[in-house]
Amino acid sequence: MTEQQHRNKSGFETRAIHAGYEPDAATGAVIPPIYATSTYKQDGVGGLRGGYEYSRSANPTRTALEGNIAALEEGERGFAFASGLAAEDTLVRALCKPGDHVVIPDDAYGGTFRLFDKVEKVWGLDHSPAPVSDLEKVAAAVRPGETRLVWVETPTNPLLNIGDIEALAAIAHDAGALLVVDNTFASPYLQQPLTLGADVVVHSTTKYCGGHSDVVGGAIVVKDLDLAEKVTFHQNAMGAVAGPFDAWLTLRGLKTLALRMDRHCDNAERVVDFLTSHPKVGEVIYPGLETHPGHEVAQRQMKRYGGMVSFRVTGGEQHALQVCERTEVFTLGESLGGVESLIEHPGRMTHASVAGTDLEVPADLVRISVGIETADDLVADLERALD
Ligand SMILES: *Cc1c(COP(=O)(O)O)cnc(C)c1O
């Protein structure tokens, strides 16, 4: 059994706290040091200690994070990057070549869409958007022999659509393509796509994995060693790696992921209960609601439903903007997944760039990232802001 398989047999919380690092042999330090070093002394030419040669190729603090996130996703190998988008770009170049085709979500994270549409496209990679919740449309967008990746997010942003990972993996594999799941919104605590047939997981660890809004980072996890070899080569050849301090912060965040996610979910459920009975709120969008079109799939593949909630107010765009500006505990801002609650108006903020396209979001929509503050304070804050 490999070290990784051994780790995979422990419970999630045990892996979160122990996987990827053994107390330091020299000092017994239980937490990996921040190895602020670019190079390593060799014992004779080519005599590397532990395989470390130069910190773009590998750094012990980053190695600890990479082992940890691989264990949490139940994969074989993890890779840490300077940002989620750096991870995505490295993955695309490792697995695709100019002339290939990929299917992407029609409501992909804006930065992901921009990467495919403005950067990878110039390089020669074509893409087709399809809704992740509609298997027929995803299958129709696949071009057998040409499509190299089916790329999905689930839940998506900000409408929290759900894609059926097992069924999407079958569609990708039938066409000779790989399934990539951006697991940023669920985090490895709520959903492990590799166990459902996905080939690759990508993360913006900036969000729930880091969890404290204090570091930007990304990750890739794979279960197949041939894929791992390609990603290893490209991670080093392209060089968009996580620095040791960023890796250390992200690893520190992952240790408490389970506790934080459970509280995010508890608080989101309280907030959803409150919003669904409020007269000035129209639709509440949350995969945990039985009325959500993806509820059954979410129930099958997620442990719980996460900390992201979207809702529509009855008073139109002006009302939505007012709610965003009136909250005091919820901070007005982009991003998500930190301990603090955030509120935003997707139409004017995160999704302003898709105005006038098929991806336009309703003007009366408000998105919240429910944090881990006292639930009563969050409900009271929204109540004040809605009145
Ligand atoms: C934020 C985000 C990204 C991009 O990650 P960065 O760390 O900002 O580069 C990708 N996918 C999703 C779903 C995100 O929320």
Side-chain angles (χ1 to χ4, degrees), residues 31-103:
I31 296 298
I34 300 168
Y35 281 93
T37 188
S38 58
T39 190
Y40 304 83
K41 179 184 191 302
Q42 303 192 7
D43 297 321
V45 174
L48 308 182
R49 299 185 191 176
Y52 294 102
E53 179 175 32
Y54 182 63
S55 278
R56 171 166 30 72
S57 315
N59 172 285
T61 316
R62 199 176 91 216
T63 304
L65 168 61
E66 292 176 333
N68 189 273
I69 198 159
L72 297 187
E73 286 288 2
E74 304 199 18
E76 272 298 319
R77 290 287 308 281
F79 303 88
F81 295 87
S83 70
L85 288 179
E88 293 182 17
D89 185 31
T90 305
L91 181 66
V92 166
R93 290 182 208 251
L95 302 185
C96 301
K97 58 184 187 319
D100 285 346
H101 171 255
V102 297
V103 178

Side-chain angles (χ1 to χ4, degrees), residues 151-170:
W151 185 292
V152 301
E153 295 171 20
T154 179
T156 66
N157 175 27
L159 296 174
L160 306 175
N161 290 313
I162 301 294
D164 181 334
I165 296 172
E166 268 183 327
L168 290 160

Side-chain angles (χ1 to χ4, degrees), residues 10-343:
S10 312
F12 185 92
E13 292 82 354
T14 306
R15 278 177 274 145
I17 292 162
H18 295 288
Y21 181 70
E22 294 291 340
D24 182 60
T27 65
V30 296
I31 296 298
I34 300 168
Y35 281 93
T37 188
S38 58
T39 190
Y40 304 83
K41 179 184 191 302
Q42 303 192 7
D43 297 321
V45 174
L48 308 182
R49 299 185 191 176
Y52 294 102
E53 179 175 32
Y54 182 63
S55 278
R56 171 166 30 72
S57 315
N59 172 285
T61 316
R62 199 176 91 216
T63 304
L65 168 61
E66 292 176 333
N68 189 273
I69 198 159
L72 297 187
E73 286 288 2
E74 304 199 18
E76 272 298 319
R77 290 287 308 281
F79 303 88
F81 295 87
S83 70
L85 288 179
E88 293 182 17
D89 185 31
T90 305
L91 181 66
V92 166
R93 290 182 208 251
L95 302 185
C96 301
K97 58 184 187 319
D100 285 346
H101 171 255
V102 297
V103 178
I104 61 171
D106 71 351
D107 54 355
Y109 171 74
T112 299
F113 177 72
R114 184 176 56 200
L115 178 70
F116 281 109
D117 198 53
K118 300 279 192 281
V119 180
E120 315 296 8
K121 198 169 164 179
V122 174
W123 180 64
L125 184 69
D126 198 9
H127 61 80
S128 307
V132 300
S133 56
D134 188 332
L135 298 173
E136 278 174 27
K137 286 193 175 146
V138 173
V142 169
R143 302 178 192 160
E146 234 178 284
T147 302
R148 184 74 184 123
L149 306 176
V150 174
W151 185 292
V152 301
E153 295 171 20
T154 179
T156 66
N157 175 27
L159 296 174
L160 306 175
N161 290 313
I162 301 294
D164 181 334
I165 296 172
E166 268 183 327
L168 290 160
I171 290 171
H173 296 158
D174 279 352
L178 300 172
L179 180 69
V180 178
V181 177
D182 179 336
N183 204 26
T184 299
F185 266 48
S187 91
Y189 180 62
L190 298 181
Q191 172 174 284
Q192 288 109 27
L194 298 178
T195 66
L196 298 166
D199 302 283
V200 186
V201 165
V202 294
H203 275 286
S204 168
T205 54
T206 312
K207 317 295 168 47
Y208 287 108
C209 290
H212 297 73
S213 304
D214 53 9
V215 62
V216 170
I220 297 173
V221 183
V222 298
K223 57 187 176 190
D224 178 274
L225 293 175
D226 288 339
L227 291 185
E229 205 171 300
K230 290 180 181 164
V231 177
T232 302
F233 175 82
H234 280 76
Q235 184 189 38
N236 182 49
M238 294 172 66
V241 295
F245 186 55
D246 288 0
W248 188 88
L249 277 172
T250 305
L251 182 61
R252 177 183 160 108
L254 282 172
K255 287 177 193 287
T256 57
L257 180 67
L259 288 172
R260 286 186 287 106
M261 289 314 295
D262 270 327
R263 183 60 68 86
H264 282 294
C265 294
D266 290 345
N267 284 359
E269 287 167 14
R270 270 291 305 282
V271 163
V272 165
D273 270 353
F274 163 76
L275 291 172
T276 45
S277 57
H278 196 285
K280 290 185 180 169
V281 173
E283 189 187 2
V284 179
I285 303 168
Y286 187 63
L289 288 170
E290 280 171 21
T291 51
H292 187 287
H295 177 67
E296 269 178 37
V297 176
Q299 196 172 33
R300 217 182 318 125
Q301 68 190 19
M302 298 177 77
K303 187 181 171 84
R304 297 181 69 184
Y305 305 100
M308 298 302 295
V309 180
S310 293
F311 60 97
R312 299 178 71 174
V313 293
T314 54
E317 181 172 37
Q318 242 5 75
H319 187 198
L321 292 169
Q322 272 170 9
V323 170
C324 292
E325 283 164 10
R326 276 192 198 148
T327 54
E328 286 168 8
V329 184
F330 282 84
T331 302
L332 177 62
E334 301 194 359
S335 197
L336 61 119
V339 290
E340 66 289 309
S341 293
L342 296 173
I343 190 164

